[in-house]
């Protein structure tokens, strides 16, 4: 086990609510790897991430002196460090390349949707951002962070390229994306008894999307919604009615 290989407990650098961080945390739990989670303040990772773990986005990890940045590189490293249970099918299996490709899509494409939609919710109602902190231990008391929430929300939106156009396009694209995910579950590539890397990547995104009251009804009841079962309950809520109702007209008609 990892404890025998390294004297120091691996550290996961994260942001509260972050979905790729949740995917990595679930993989660590699945493999019974003890780790220390360090929650950063939003945007602080740009300054201190390079020093702490060698990157400017989370998740980042340190295994002793080794630093790994990004949910997919971390998943690959975890499989090297602790083989069981594996996060991917065996390389010889036909599903191997498909699961890797679904995971890549989950990281490069699907991951952006909650980012844009949360940023749209936070800029409209900055107080909702605090609900995502849950019981995370942050380096500043919440009372001190509160006055900075409106500016933080605007800066996060700018950094992610989130605006009304990107968010309404993400909602419009969601039904077809969910059809794809339901299809992969139907093919047996995802949704098994034990999560694989694609389940963790996409399930964490769905779980975060389902904290947005206006979006949740689009996912509820679909097979895709079952992928959230690999995760503990999430803190945070943007109540229904915060996002403009016209954004929901296209998916409702579909
Ligand atoms: N696709 C990358 C994305 C990482 C990413 O963008 N993480 C967000 C949090 S969910 C972040 O660090 N955002 C801050 C920023 O870009 O400044 C991964 O899965 O590791």
């Amino acid at each position: 086990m990892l404890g025998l290989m390294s004297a120091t407990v691996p550290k996961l650098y994260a942001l509260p609510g972050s979905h790729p961080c949740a995917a990595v945390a679930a993989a660590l739990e699945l493999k019974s790897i003890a780790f220390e989670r360090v929650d950063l303040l939003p945007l602080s990772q740009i300054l201190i991430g390079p020093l702490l773990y060698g990157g400017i986005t989370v998740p980042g990890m340190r295994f002793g002196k080794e630093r790994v940045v990004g949910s997919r590189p971390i998943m690959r490293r975890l499989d090297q460090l602790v083989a069981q249970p594996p996060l991917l099918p065996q390389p010889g299996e036909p599903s191997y390349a498909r699961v890797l490709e679904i995971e890549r899509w989950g990281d490069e494409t699907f991951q952006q949707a909650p980012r844009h939609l949360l940023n749209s919710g936070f800029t409209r109602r900055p107080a909702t951002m605090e609900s995502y902190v849950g019981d995370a231990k942050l380096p500043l008391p919440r009372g001190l962070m509160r006055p900075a929430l409106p500016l933080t929300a605007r800066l996060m939106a700018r950094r992610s390229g989130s605006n009304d156009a990107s968010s309404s396009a993400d909602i419009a694209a969601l039904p077809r994306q969910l059809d794809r995910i339901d299809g992969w579950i139907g093919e047996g590539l995802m949704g098994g008894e034990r999560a694989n890397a694609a389940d963790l990547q996409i399930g964490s995104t769905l779980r975060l999307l389902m904290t947005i009251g206006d979006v949740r009804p689009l996912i509820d009841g679909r097979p895709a919604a079952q992928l959230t079962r690999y995760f503990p309950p999430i803190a945070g809520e943007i109540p229904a009615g915060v996002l403009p109702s016209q954004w929901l007209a296209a998916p409702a008609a579909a």
Side-chain angles (χ1 to χ4, degrees):
M1 291 299 281
L2 196 63
L4 301 176
M5 297 178 225
S6 159
T8 54
V9 175
K11 276 193 180 156
L12 167 62
Y13 293 93
L15 286 175
S18 159
H19 41 326
C21 297
V24 166
L28 286 158
E29 299 282 355
L30 203 60
K31 287 178 176 286
S32 303
I33 301 175
F35 67 102
E36 182 187 342
R37 179 178 170 126
V38 180
D39 276 296
L40 306 175
L41 289 173
L43 300 172
S44 70
Q45 77 281 3
I46 301 164
L47 291 176
I48 58 175
L51 293 172
L52 293 174
Y53 57 87
I56 57 167
T57 58
V58 290
M61 281 202 75
R62 279 193 76 144
F63 303 94
K65 288 198 171 133
E66 181 188 354
R67 301 150 179 231
V68 189
V69 182
S71 54
R72 282 187 294 156
I74 293 172
M75 297 287 186
R76 296 301 84 82
R77 191 68 185 116
L78 294 183
D79 264 342
Q80 288 169 351
L81 291 169
V82 176
Q84 297 297 330
L87 298 170
L88 292 173
Q90 291 308 301
E93 290 177 30
S95 56
Y96 176 77
R98 302 272 323 271
V99 170
L100 270 180
E101 175 56 19
I102 296 167
E103 184 201 30
R104 187 196 61 75
W105 177 85
D107 177 342
E108 293 178 0
T109 302
F110 196 48
Q111 226 186 60
Q112 269 306 87
R115 247 173 231 131
H116 290 322
L117 293 168
L118 285 175
N119 285 334
S120 288
F122 294 158
T123 47
R124 282 172 170 75
R125 206 174 286 181
T128 57
M129 203 190 302
E130 194 178 330
S131 65
Y132 288 82
V133 175
D135 57 7
K137 285 188 222 101
L138 285 174
L140 267 187
R142 292 178 196 200
L144 282 183
M145 285 164 40
R146 221 163 273 144
L149 293 180
L151 177 63
T152 308
R154 286 201 299 278
L155 291 174
M156 280 168 51
R158 186 180 305 170
R159 190 163 163 75
S160 300
S162 310
N163 51 43
D164 285 3
S166 64
S167 291
S168 60
D170 282 335
I171 293 188
L174 193 55
R176 288 201 50 196
Q177 293 178 325
L178 293 170
D179 287 345
R180 290 187 82 184
I181 298 166
D182 289 348
W184 292 324
I185 294 170
E187 284 184 74
L189 294 164
M190 305 177 75
E193 195 179 319
R194 198 186 59 229
N196 63 29
D199 290 312
L200 296 180
Q201 186 67 244
I202 290 177
S204 59
T205 295
L206 287 161
R207 186 181 70 140
L208 189 55
L209 280 170
M210 290 179 83
T211 65
I212 306 170
D214 290 305
V215 174
R216 195 181 307 125
L218 301 173
I219 304 171
D220 255 339
R222 280 180 171 262
Q226 294 301 315
L227 300 181
T228 60
R229 75 178 187 279
Y230 303 118
F231 301 88
I234 186 173
E237 170 87 7
I238 295 181
V242 171
L243 300 183
S245 56
Q246 61 272 26
W247 293 0
L248 297 152

